[in-house]
Amino acid sequence: MSAPPTTTYRECCKQAIRAALIADPRVFLMGEDVGRYGGCYAVSKGLLDEFGPERIRDTPLSESAFVGAGIGAAIAGMRPIVEIMTVNFSLLALDQILNNAATIPHMSGGQFAIPLVIRMATGGGRQLAAQHSHSLEGWYAHIPGLKILAPATLEDARYMLAPALLDPNPVLVFEHVVLYNMEGVLDPKVSSVDIEKAAIRRAGRDVTFVTYGASLFKTLEAAEVLAREGIEAEVIDLRVLRPLDEATILASVRRTRRCVIVDEGWRSGSLAAEIGMRIAEQAFYELDAPLRRVCSAEVPMPYAGHLEQAALPNRERILATVRALLRPGS
């Protein structure tokens, strides 16, 4: 019996878009270089030839303009998938995302829905320097009216898009740049995923890790090392950054009584700070140790590879944080 075929995170993203285009004639993809070039990260390669320029639309280099066009198309009954090349470029469309997409359903008294999906690459680790290595998904998770997704696994990359397109409100999908080349076998038993709840990727009893995106795999590696030391860590993949699945987080922390949050965002004003505060508000007296977090260094992301890796959360920092938490003074 032959081994199941391997695929990549990139291919899973592509097949998710392809399946959506086939399933619903209202769906179309638009963004910079998504057509003839095949996408900045080659996610949409080949889709223009298959579906044509009406469904795969190259846009001018104006994020504000094409995100605004996507909002208008969604109001008019279409199901646009808007690709923004990298998360930093989304700042050029922040007015459209914050003041229009997130607010029109509310300000219209529910008369207008915005069934819009915006995909963008996020994160550091590819030596793209300070201009293109941001992790700003925590900023967007601050905004009411948006749903924020961060697929880390192949299954989430493949199957999160379909329910996102069914949501009547705008959904932002953050795909971490270092994951596009990740290879693996897509679980044949999975044909859909939940975009409401976090997932426990590893069960444990001694400490809870809360993380998402590319940091998930660094955290799982750290959990494997800790297991050899007799420390069983539970690893929660948030997957959905807004709304946060508080129930899963709190239930895990109440079991393990310790928590370390691993977040690629900067420490100040981070998503990690929000999660930590929610735990403090609702489970403070069930903790046996202080809350801890591992975040990116408070600097613009360096270009040099060794400095970039030092600035990002890494396995060694995660391990050191947990060991200090469980073995103070050691």
Side-chain angles (χ1 to χ4, degrees):
M1 187 174 181
S2 61
T6 61
T7 188
T8 63
Y9 184 98
R10 172 186 291 105
E11 184 64 20
C12 288
C13 294
K14 175 182 175 180
Q15 291 305 320
I17 297 169
R18 184 174 180 272
L21 291 163
I22 292 170
D24 189 340
R26 298 174 299 173
V27 173
F28 67 96
L29 174 69
M30 65 189 297
E32 297 165 352
D33 291 331
V34 299
R36 293 177 64 186
Y37 187 68
C40 180
Y41 294 96
V43 169
S44 55
K45 188 174 182 179
L47 294 181
L48 176 63
D49 293 337
E50 183 174 0
F51 294 98
E54 290 294 310
R55 312 276 311 274
I56 309 296
R57 290 177 169 262
D58 281 322
T59 65
L61 304 185
S62 176
E63 283 75 14
S64 181
F66 67 73
V67 171
I71 294 169
I75 291 174
M78 301 296 284
R79 294 293 183 270
I81 304 169
V82 175
E83 178 178 310
I84 298 177
M85 194 176 292
T86 57
V87 64
N88 61 288
F89 289 131
S90 72
L91 301 181
L92 299 169
L94 189 57
D95 180 52
Q96 296 285 10
I97 296 169
L98 172 60
N99 286 328
N100 290 321
T103 59
I104 285 174
H106 167 74
M107 295 180 71
S108 68
Q111 295 179 80
F112 298 110
I114 311 289
L116 167 72
V117 172
I118 302 176
R119 298 174 44 251
M120 62 187 96
T122 188
R126 292 283 298 272
Q127 286 190 263
L128 298 176
Q131 298 95 331
H132 303 297
S133 301
H134 300 89
S135 295
L136 302 181
E137 51 276 1
W139 287 17
Y140 287 101
H142 177 68
I143 302 171
L146 302 178
K147 178 171 283 185
I148 308 301
L149 306 181
T153 66
L154 297 179
E155 291 75 21
D156 282 356
R158 173 62 183 84
Y159 294 113
M160 271 190 168
L161 182 61
L165 284 165
L166 293 175
D167 198 297
N169 297 303
V171 180
L172 275 58
V173 183
F174 290 85
E175 300 162 4
H176 200 288
V177 290
V178 303
L179 296 179
Y180 283 123
N181 291 330
M182 182 177 71
E183 294 185 355
V185 176
L186 195 62
D187 188 343
K189 293 179 288 188
V190 176
S191 59
S192 63
V193 296
D194 187 350
I195 61 168
E196 301 292 334
K197 296 189 180 300
I200 297 177
R201 302 298 185 190
R202 180 190 175 100
R205 64 175 185 271
D206 297 317
V207 62
T208 295
F209 283 123
V210 180
T211 190
Y212 68 91
S215 294
L216 170 65
F217 301 99
K218 301 174 186 178
T219 306
L220 286 169
E221 288 178 9
E224 289 290 335
V225 174
L226 292 169
R228 295 194 289 271
E229 300 175 10
I231 300 170
E232 291 296 334
E234 184 149 291
V235 179
I236 295 176
D237 174 9
L238 287 173
R239 305 199 301 169
V240 184
L241 308 187
R242 186 180 183 101
L244 282 170
D245 180 5
E246 286 186 1
T248 296
I249 297 168
L250 292 171
S252 176
V253 171
R254 286 171 176 143
R255 284 194 304 272
T256 67
R257 310 184 76 83
R258 300 171 183 85
C259 184
V260 175
I261 306 154
V262 183
D263 176 7
E264 195 171 302
W266 291 302
R267 186 172 182 271
S268 298
S270 61
L271 186 65
E274 173 65 25
I275 294 167
M277 190 62 203
R278 293 198 192 193
I279 294 169
E281 287 173 336
Q282 300 178 66
F284 178 81
Y285 291 106
E286 296 171 76
L287 293 171
D288 284 345
L291 296 164
R292 292 286 184 259
R293 52 186 162 151
V294 181
C295 298
S296 286
E298 301 269 292
V299 296
M301 192 58 64
Y303 169 73
H306 66 294
L307 294 176
E308 180 181 43
Q309 291 305 313
L312 291 167
N314 56 53
R315 189 183 72 173
E316 286 65 36
R317 285 173 57 201
I318 296 168
L319 287 169
T321 301
V322 174
R323 287 167 180 155
L325 195 65
L326 275 82
R327 300 166 182 163
S330 62

